[in-house]
Amino acid sequence: MTAPFAPPALPGYEHLYSGKVRDLYAPLDEAGAQRTDRLLLVASDRISAYDHVLDPPIPDKGAVLTQLSLWWFDQLADLAPHHVVSTDVPEAVAGRAVLVERLDMLPVECVARGYLTGGGLAEYRAKGEVSGVPLPAGLVDGSRLEEPVFTPSTKAPMGEHDEPISYDGVVAEIGPALAEQVRDLTVRILLRGNEIAAERGILLADTKVEFGLRGLDLAKGEDAGEAIRSRGASCEVVLADEVLTPDSSRFWPAEEWEPGRPQPSFDKQFVRDWLTSPESGWSKDSGVAPPSLPAEVVQATRARYVEAYERLTGTPFA
Ligand SMILES: N#Cc1c(N)ncnc1-c1cnn(CCN2CCOCC2)c1
């Protein structure tokens, strides 16, 4: 059954875009026109695995990840300003939405990897390097890297996979100064994240962040890419989207870390184990949508999201 995920209609807001698990709206002004200075970022309870949006949603997932991201923005405020303006949002999405400053987004998915797995491991096995950065021989699935590697990608259209790009590709897209700034910030965000998370029994293997510019002041019809390349370096780089959540990062339980095999996911392992078990009757290579998750898998997954939030923030999830 395809997950029914029609984003809610929100009076006073226009729905702009839906990703797998989040929805974007524009607040409307008194005349009913879109405000150009704000956006509403809504996290749904949807969960995706093996490139499918699963059914049913995980209760409170959107709220837990929104509150976790807000907490991380505060923890990282000395590294970078962020785009959050307010949590005064419509009742229908209370707790799982944020009003944000509308920025001129950089066309780069900024990924940093502290541990080798997934696509980075595949590239390493093929080339001995990741995103143009040579790595020592003998690394295995889950190996911790001496220092995080910046492995950027392009922003693919909905439903397509982001394409890895080289650091030089980032320079060509946004200019050398901004490229260096976002690479350094992405690595520092992952290092800070792991300083905090490791103490609480969670390893952040990698993370994806997005940045926007404050102060670009695009003229009507002006090409954003050209403007970014020509005067982006004099703008303020602002941390946008979500930060260091289980949807933007690989969360691993630290006590189960064992290089040389795929690491268990802190939040998605119950889902993966059930979907790949004979009980589900599904195969991830089948090309068909997975079956609905059993209630016990849904509840166990909800509990893992809540546990991640409470471990990291030290605050009970209300
Ligand atoms: N954040 C932010 C932001 C901002 N502060 N200003 C202008 N644009 C954006 C923006 C627009 N799209 N995305 C990609 C992330 N999407 C989020 C919603 O869900 C789908 C994915 C970011």
Side-chain angles (χ1 to χ4, degrees), residues 1-5 20-21 44-49 52-61 271 274-275 290-302 305:
M1 170 185 166
T2 306
F5 67 94
K20 282 200 178 86
V21 296
S44 76
D45 290 344
R46 300 189 298 268
I47 184 171
S48 79
H52 290 274
V53 175
L54 305 183
D55 182 61
I58 305 297
D60 295 323
K61 174 177 178 279
V271 166
W274 186 80
L275 284 175
S292 295
L293 300 173
E296 64 271 18
V297 172
V298 171
Q299 282 313 316
T301 302
R302 177 189 178 282
Y305 284 118

Side-chain angles (χ1 to χ4, degrees), residues 108-305:
V108 182
E109 301 282 13
C110 292
V111 178
R113 298 173 187 268
Y115 296 78
L116 198 58
T117 194
L121 175 65
E123 185 179 353
Y124 167 78
R125 282 174 170 163
K127 300 159 66 177
E129 63 178 43
V130 184
S131 292
V133 178
L135 293 177
L139 300 181
V140 296
D141 196 350
S143 286
R144 186 173 180 279
L145 300 175
E146 280 174 34
E147 59 186 40
V149 177
F150 182 60
T151 65
S153 56
T154 58
K155 289 188 174 180
M158 169 71 178
E160 293 177 32
H161 285 285
D162 297 336
E163 283 298 317
I165 52 174
S166 66
Y167 180 70
D168 288 345
V170 176
V171 171
E173 272 294 315
I174 64 174
L178 277 177
E180 183 178 359
Q181 196 173 352
V182 299
R183 175 184 63 187
D184 295 350
L185 273 177
T186 306
V187 167
R188 290 170 73 187
I189 285 166
L190 184 63
L191 285 169
R192 174 71 62 77
N194 267 313
E195 276 171 26
I196 294 169
E199 285 174 0
R200 294 145 167 102
I202 292 173
L203 295 183
L204 305 174
D206 49 42
T207 196
K208 188 267 292 177
V209 293
E210 296 191 32
F211 297 100
L213 296 184
R214 183 180 287 154
L216 190 66
D217 302 330
L218 275 179
K220 195 168 175 57
E222 185 180 13
D223 179 77
E226 279 307 313
I228 289 170
R229 282 184 289 275
S230 64
R231 57 179 194 276
S234 58
C235 296
E236 191 167 18
V237 173
V238 180
L239 184 54
D241 196 26
E242 62 182 333
V243 63
L244 296 175
T245 72
D247 276 350
S248 70
S249 319
R250 282 188 173 92
F251 276 45
W252 292 345
E255 75 280 2
E256 295 181 50
W257 178 53
E258 187 186 321
R261 59 160 172 88
Q263 308 306 310
S265 164
F266 189 93
D267 50 294
K268 291 201 170 87
Q269 202 55 45
F270 291 115
V271 166
R272 291 179 181 165
D273 287 351
W274 186 80
L275 284 175
T276 54
S277 73
E279 190 187 335
S280 75
W282 182 73
S283 160
K284 63 187 171 67
D285 306 318
S286 63
V288 302
S292 295
L293 300 173
E296 64 271 18
V297 172
V298 171
Q299 282 313 316
T301 302
R302 177 189 178 282
R304 291 296 271 178
Y305 284 118

Side-chain angles (χ1 to χ4, degrees), residues 17-24 39 41-42 83 100-105 155 208 210 240-242:
Y17 169 90
S18 280
K20 282 200 178 86
V21 296
R22 287 181 302 146
D23 310 308
L24 197 63
L39 289 169
L41 216 47
V42 178
H83 67 160
V100 300
E101 177 186 355
R102 195 184 292 222
L103 303 165
D104 291 295
M105 297 303 287
K155 289 188 174 180
K208 188 267 292 177
E210 296 191 32
D241 196 26
E242 62 182 333

